[in-house]
Amino acid sequence: QVQLVESGGGLVQPGGSLRLSCAASGSIFNINAMAWYRQAPGKERELVAVRPSVGITNYADSVKGRFTISRDNAKNTVYLQMNSLKPEDTAVYYCNANINLRWMGPSNDYWGQGTQVTVSS
């Protein structure tokens, strides 16, 4: 019913930039928070940034000042602008959205398929 489709990953040199996009589609009534997570090899998935529908945007300490999360509510899309990339940012990045499918219905978390970001010279 709901799909999250990510794009924008790839290979970039240290100090470079990438912009990830994630578009939600399907029978969506309302999207609450949208977020980006990442998972590096051998590590647990971690929160990178979260953008609520209202309220304060939060970032992991490791990306503060370098990454920016933004939303286009008209397009049901969330972006992650990543600047000054470091090798330790290498991971699979996942989009997450908390979505209501109907008015007064419960909200559920949905995930994208993941997009690989590799920072290497």
Side-chain angles (χ1 to χ4, degrees), residues 41-116:
K43 295 188 177 181
E44 293 186 354
R45 190 173 297 189
E46 63 173 356
L47 177 66
V48 175
V50 57
R51 180 72 178 259
S53 55
V54 293
I56 300 173
T57 298
N58 284 302
Y59 296 92
D61 288 343
S62 58
V63 307
K64 282 181 181 177
R66 300 188 297 123
F67 290 11
T68 302
I69 187 171
S70 60
R71 287 175 64 164
D72 184 334
N73 292 327
K75 296 181 179 180
N76 288 341
T77 299
V78 63
Y79 306 95
L80 186 68
Q81 178 66 43
M82 305 185 292
N83 299 328
S84 302
L85 282 160
K86 305 175 181 180
E88 51 263 44
D89 294 318
T90 296
V92 177
Y93 284 70
Y94 296 92
C95 172
N96 169 273
N98 186 262
I99 296 174
N100 296 92
L101 299 184
R102 62 183 188 277
W103 183 67
M104 296 296 287
S107 65
N108 293 292
D109 280 337
Y110 295 87
W111 293 89
Q113 79 284 359
T115 185
Q116 177 70 46

Side-chain angles (χ1 to χ4, degrees), residues 5-49:
V5 179
E6 299 141 340
S7 60
L11 173 64
V12 63
Q13 292 186 342
S17 298
L18 281 175
R19 188 190 195 212
L20 305 182
S21 300
C22 172
S25 63
S27 301
I28 297 170
F29 175 75
N30 181 63
I31 300 178
N32 302 304
M34 299 188 83
W36 289 95
Y37 287 73
R38 67 185 180 186
Q39 188 166 19
K43 295 188 177 181
E44 293 186 354
R45 190 173 297 189
E46 63 173 356
L47 177 66
V48 175

